[in-house]
Structures are given as C-alpha cells and as structure tokens.
C-alpha cells in the first residue's frame, strides 16, 4: 500500500503544478509572450488564459502603459565648440509586445543610445545661444528620429523633453555678466525715458497754465472794460437825464483838477488850457447872480479877463515862473530846462 500511496501523492503534486502552469492570469494593461518549444506561439492579453503545461512557456511579461525613462546628463559639443551637458526624459509606450521582445534585445538601452546620438547630431549644428533658446526645435527633432527608429520595435515615443542644458561655468559667468549689463542698460533707458516724459508733461502743463492764465487775463480785461464802459454809459445817461448845464460841468471839472497832482511820481503839474473855459463858465454864473440884485446892489460885475491858455506851476517858488513853449497845436507847454531841479509842491 505504501508504493501506491506514494504514486498517488506524486500524481496529485504533478496535477497541481500542471494546473498552475495551465492557468495564466494577465493583469490589465499588460501582455505576455508564449513560446512552444522555443518558438513564438501567441500573445496573452489581460484576463484568464489557458496554456499547455510543460509545452507552452510564458517567456516575457510586458507593461503596455506609458513609461517615463530619464537619461543621465550627456556631454554634447555645439557648433561653436562649447561642451554642454543635457538631461533628457523619454515618454514611450509599447504597442507591440512581440516586436518589443524579438526585434530588439533591450529596447530601453537602444532608445537611450539612439537619443544620445540624435541629440549630438542636432546640437552639433546649432550654436550655444540657439541651443538655449530652441528647446521645442530640439524636442521635435528627437521625437521624429525616435519615432521612425522605434516604430519597428513596437514602441511609440510620445514625448521627448530636455530637463536641463548646462553650459560650462565660465560661459555661465559671462552670460550672467551680459544679462546684468543688458538689465542695467534697459534700466538706464527706462529712467531716461521717464525723465524725458516727465519734462514733456511738465512743459505741457506749464504751457497750458500760461495759456489759461492769458485767457483768464484777457477775459478779465474784457469784463473790466465792459464794466467801465457800462459805468461811463450810466454816468453819461444820468448827466443827460439830469439835464446838467455848463456851470455844473465847469464846477465838477475844477473839482477834478487836484486829483491830477496826486502821486509820488508827479514832478510837474501843468494846468490844462480848458481851465479858462471852466473859469468863464463859473464867472458867468457869478455875474448872473450879481446882476440879479446881489451883494453889489445890482451893479454888473466887471468882465473877467480872459484866462491864459495854460499856466505853469513851478516846483521851486524862488525860481520864479518858467517860460512856456508852444506845441504843434498851439497849446502851451513848459520849456524843459535840464539844468534846473524842481521839487513837488504840496497840493494844499
């Protein structure tokens, strides 16, 4: 009984192992390559799969999700013979598990080496400044070459990114100095532009202020002239409405004469020639009063002597009266003697 029991136990173990090898569970987004006697048979997809135990063998399980592979920095020489270190990142996805298994030995290593060689070819045709400012151009060139080469490997390269481009330390120092100089230059230009704009605005403001001031003065002069004209018109109408005679006008005229002598700048006072006419009017008024039974008992007053055309009041009483000159219209005016000095006479 013991040999039979041993055989049964062995058969149970072999059946259990065969069952395990027969049932293959493939996770989602994965694939498995099945070989029969060393030859590719089929590709197992996600789910429960049945294989022939001890005949079929699952060689490789491949992840079909998108993978991210960073590559270490690679020294690359630019067109102007400068060495820069470039870090790259590849985003790829396996689309054909059979091709990724049998077309290339190690597709990760193959992609890395292809990326390095393609990157050196692209950067070798560009100078340092173009390399630093043309990331999109470099990415597009790398992606195009990698897609064409990895398509037959059953791999699709979705994106290629440059993590960093590091020029030599001396070049970095020179670039920093250049950038600092450019910033200082732009700051100086902006400061000058601001000062220039401020001066322009200040000048425009002063101009507008002067224009507004002149317009205000002009309007004030116009309004002042209109007010004076209205005042003169009112006085003129009042005189005509009051029917003032010649005697009243002559009296008002004589009252106005002392105002002409007021002022610190007056050195000489010339009595106008119209004073004679005013005196005649006042003399006629007093003559009329005396002729009508005044203080003289009705005796007419003697006719007044004609008033001189103009009277000169000397500033120095001891100097005596000055001779008069006659202008082009026959009016008397004082003869100017620069050798004599005059002083202002008190109006009282």
């Amino acid at each position: 009984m013991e040999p039979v029991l041993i055989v049964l136990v062995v058969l149970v173990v072999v059946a259990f192992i065969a069952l395990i090898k027969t049932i293959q569970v493939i996770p989602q987004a994965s694939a498995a390559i099945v070989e029969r006697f060393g030859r590719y048979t089929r590709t197992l997809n996600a789910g429960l799969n049945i294989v022939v135990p001890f005949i079929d063998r699952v060689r490789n399980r491949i992840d079909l999700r998108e993978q991210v592979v960073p590559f270490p920095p690679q020294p690359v020489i630019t067109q102007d013979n400068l060495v820069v270190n470039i870090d790259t990142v590849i985003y790829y996805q396996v689309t054909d598990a059979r091709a990724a298994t049998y077309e290339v030995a190690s597709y990760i290593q193959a992609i890395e080496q292809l990326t390095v060689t393609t990157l050196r070819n692209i950067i070798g045709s560009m100078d340092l400044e173009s390399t630093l400012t043309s990331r999109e151009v470099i990415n597009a060139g790398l992606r195009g070459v990698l897609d064409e080469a990895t398509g037959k490997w059953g791999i699709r390269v979705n994106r290629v990114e440059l993590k960093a481009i590091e020029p030599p330390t001396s070049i970095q120092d020179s670039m920093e100095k250049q950038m600092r100089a450019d910033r200082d230059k732009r700051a100086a230009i902006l400061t000058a532009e601001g000062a220039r704009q401020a001066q322009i605005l200040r000048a425009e403001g002063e101009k507008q202020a002067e224009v507004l001031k002149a317009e205000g003065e002009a309007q004030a002069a116009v309004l002042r002239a209109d007010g004076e004209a209205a005042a003169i018109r009112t006085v003129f109408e009042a005189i005509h409405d009051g029917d003032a005679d010649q005697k009243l006008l002559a009296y008002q005229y004589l009252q106005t004469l002392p105002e002409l002598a007021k002022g610190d700048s007056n050195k000489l006072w010339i009595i106008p020639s119209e004073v004679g006419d005013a005196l005649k009017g006042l003399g006629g008024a007093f003559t009329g009063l005396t002729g009508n039974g005044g203080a003289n008992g009705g005796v007419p007053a003697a006719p007044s002597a004609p008033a001189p055309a103009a009277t000169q009041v000397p500033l120095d009483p001891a100097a005596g009266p000055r001779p008069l000159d006659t202008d082009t219209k026959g009016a008397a005016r004082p003869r100017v003697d620069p050798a004599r000095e005059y002083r202002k006479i008190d109006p009282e």
Side-chain angles (χ1 to χ4, degrees):
M1 293 297 294
E2 292 181 359
V4 175
L5 182 61
I6 294 174
V7 171
L8 291 176
V9 171
V10 170
L11 291 176
V12 170
V13 172
V14 171
F16 181 75
I17 294 175
L19 180 63
I20 293 176
K21 288 183 174 293
T22 301
I23 300 174
Q24 297 289 332
V25 178
I26 307 300
Q28 183 66 33
S30 298
I33 301 299
V34 178
E35 293 180 349
R36 180 173 295 178
F37 300 112
R39 184 177 181 180
Y40 171 75
T41 302
R42 60 194 175 99
T43 300
L44 301 181
N45 296 321
L48 181 63
N49 296 274
I50 303 299
V51 296
V52 178
F54 305 107
I55 297 177
D56 294 338
R57 182 175 69 91
V58 178
R59 176 180 176 178
N60 192 14
R61 295 175 182 269
I62 298 175
D63 194 348
L64 300 180
R65 295 174 297 177
E66 185 174 4
Q67 304 293 322
V68 181
V69 179
F71 296 144
Q74 299 294 328
V76 182
I77 301 175
T78 62
Q79 188 179 10
D80 46 0
N81 297 325
L82 294 175
V83 179
V84 294
N85 294 323
I86 300 179
D87 296 347
T88 55
V89 178
I90 303 297
Y91 296 82
Y92 72 93
Q93 185 177 8
V94 177
T95 58
D96 188 353
R98 186 194 65 82
T101 303
Y102 296 105
E103 296 295 335
V104 61
S106 176
Y107 56 84
I108 297 296
Q109 185 178 1
I111 292 175
E112 180 181 1
Q113 296 301 321
L114 182 61
T115 301
V116 171
T117 55
T118 305
L119 188 62
R120 288 178 178 176
N121 292 333
I122 295 175
I123 299 301
S125 61
M126 304 172 64
D127 56 4
L128 179 60
E129 185 176 358
S130 301
T131 302
L132 296 175
T133 58
S134 303
R135 290 175 176 264
E136 294 297 331
V137 176
I138 299 174
N139 293 340
L142 282 174
R143 181 180 177 183
V145 174
L146 291 176
D147 278 341
E148 183 179 358
T150 58
K152 61 181 180 180
W153 300 341
I155 297 173
R156 182 177 70 248
V157 177
N158 296 326
R159 296 184 64 182
V160 180
E161 295 291 340
L162 301 181
K163 291 176 60 177
I165 301 177
E166 298 179 357
T169 306
S170 60
I171 301 300
Q172 291 182 3
D173 296 337
S174 300
M175 292 173 61
E176 290 179 358
K177 293 180 181 179
Q178 182 179 1
M179 293 176 62
R180 191 179 303 112
D182 290 339
R183 286 194 295 268
D184 294 340
K185 177 182 177 182
R186 288 196 296 269
I189 291 174
L190 292 176
T191 302
E193 289 290 338
R196 173 176 173 271
Q197 191 67 22
Q199 292 179 0
I200 291 175
L201 293 177
R202 190 180 301 110
E204 290 181 353
E206 293 177 356
K207 176 182 176 182
Q208 293 179 0
E210 292 295 334
V211 171
L212 293 177
K213 182 179 179 181
E215 291 179 353
E217 292 178 353
Q219 293 179 0
V222 171
L223 294 176
R224 194 180 301 111
D226 292 340
E228 293 177 357
I232 294 173
R233 191 179 303 109
T234 302
V235 172
F236 183 77
E237 292 177 355
I239 292 173
H240 281 274
D241 293 340
D243 194 12
D245 56 357
Q246 185 67 23
K247 304 179 184 65
L248 179 60
L249 295 178
Y251 178 72
Q252 293 292 333
Y253 183 77
L254 291 177
Q255 284 185 337
T256 310
L257 288 178
E259 300 294 331
L260 300 177
K262 291 183 179 180
D264 296 335
S265 61
N266 294 335
K267 302 297 182 181
L268 185 64
W269 183 27
I270 300 175
I271 299 176
S273 60
E274 290 82 358
V275 175
D277 297 335
L279 292 176
K280 289 181 182 179
L282 291 177
F286 287 111
T287 302
L289 292 175
T290 56
N292 294 328
N296 294 330
V299 180
S304 60
T311 305
Q312 179 182 7
V313 179
L315 298 181
D316 190 1
R322 294 178 55 196
L324 300 177
D325 291 337
T326 303
D327 56 8
T328 56
K329 297 182 178 180
R333 60 181 179 85
R335 180 179 299 168
V336 179
D337 187 2
R340 304 182 65 180
E341 297 180 355
Y342 296 90
R343 62 182 180 84
K344 183 179 177 182
I345 301 175
D346 189 2
E348 298 180 356

